[in-house]
Amino acid sequence: MKNQKFEIAVAQSNIDWTGRKVTGAHWGTIAVKNGNLSVSDGKLTGGKFVIDTASIKILDVSDPATNAQFFGHLASDDFFSIDQYPEADFEITAVNNDHVTGNLTIKGITHPVSFDAHVSIAGDTLTATGKLVVDRTKYGIKFRSGNFFTNLGDTLIYNDFDLNVNITAKAA
């Protein structure tokens, strides 16, 4: 049995996010700060990565002032409380074939999530992709959620947001 550890190459890894509301969607990126993945006999078995919440970028808002205002709102306590919680993280707890289960921590609150991942290894490089669908209300992000507020009309923001994770890691 061959065990390997891979260190995440942060410059080659990223997370694309999409949040939806009644009137459309917003999207952008957020950076992976560090992490590692464990492999046994060519199969993913574990790992953890840290997300730099302060790195969030909004790509669909081109006006600099509006973009800065939106970033400020995402950084506020209405959303990610970035000053208090500059990091989020994901730790793998189980892998069954290509189905990954783990604990996602946002704003100091941890919940299990699972998703299908595609993992491949070529030489000393591991690449992994997967899409997590996250219910923001489980992490205390309730701003304009229909679960907590009424009569929001077209200002309602859907509870689920998507994280499309693209990881490249190098053998340690």
Side-chain angles (χ1 to χ4, degrees):
M1 180 157 68
K2 184 178 179 191
N3 294 319
Q4 286 181 283
K5 188 165 225 158
F6 289 82
E7 296 294 326
I8 293 177
V10 295
Q12 298 167 297
S13 302
N14 73 298
I15 300 171
D16 297 323
W17 62 266
T18 303
R20 293 173 187 77
K21 55 186 181 173
V22 171
T23 58
H26 289 293
W27 60 89
T29 61
I30 191 163
V32 177
K33 189 172 187 175
N34 60 55
N36 60 71
L37 298 169
S38 300
V39 171
S40 182
D41 289 332
K43 299 283 186 191
L44 181 67
T45 57
K48 179 178 181 175
F49 59 88
V50 177
I51 301 161
D52 178 4
T53 60
S55 73
I56 194 163
K57 291 191 179 16
I58 302 120
L59 299 180
D60 67 296
V61 178
S62 57
D63 176 68
T66 304
N67 191 293
Q69 181 181 22
F70 187 9
F71 173 83
H73 196 201
L74 290 178
S76 78
D77 291 342
D78 281 346
F79 287 95
F80 296 102
S81 304
I82 289 173
D83 286 343
Q84 186 176 357
Y85 302 101
E87 296 176 348
D89 65 63
F90 177 73
E91 184 167 12
I92 297 169
T93 57
V95 181
N96 185 356
N97 294 321
D98 290 332
H99 195 74
V100 175
T101 301
N103 290 319
L104 179 64
T105 302
I106 299 173
K107 291 177 73 168
I109 301 167
T110 304
H111 286 285
V113 295
S114 49
F115 58 96
D116 291 330
H118 176 73
V119 179
S120 64
I121 300 170
D124 68 347
T125 302
L126 178 150
T127 57
T129 60
K131 177 182 175 181
L132 287 78
V133 178
V134 180
D135 178 349
R136 66 188 176 94
T137 64
K138 289 182 175 181
Y139 302 91
I141 305 170
K142 300 175 182 177
F143 184 78
R144 291 191 183 158
S145 165
N147 289 12
F148 299 93
F149 302 96
T150 58
N151 302 319
L152 290 170
D154 65 2
T155 66
L156 178 120
I157 300 171
Y158 295 116
N159 293 337
D160 289 346
F161 66 92
D162 299 340
L163 296 175
N164 287 298
V165 180
N166 300 287
I167 299 289
T168 298
K170 300 290 184 184

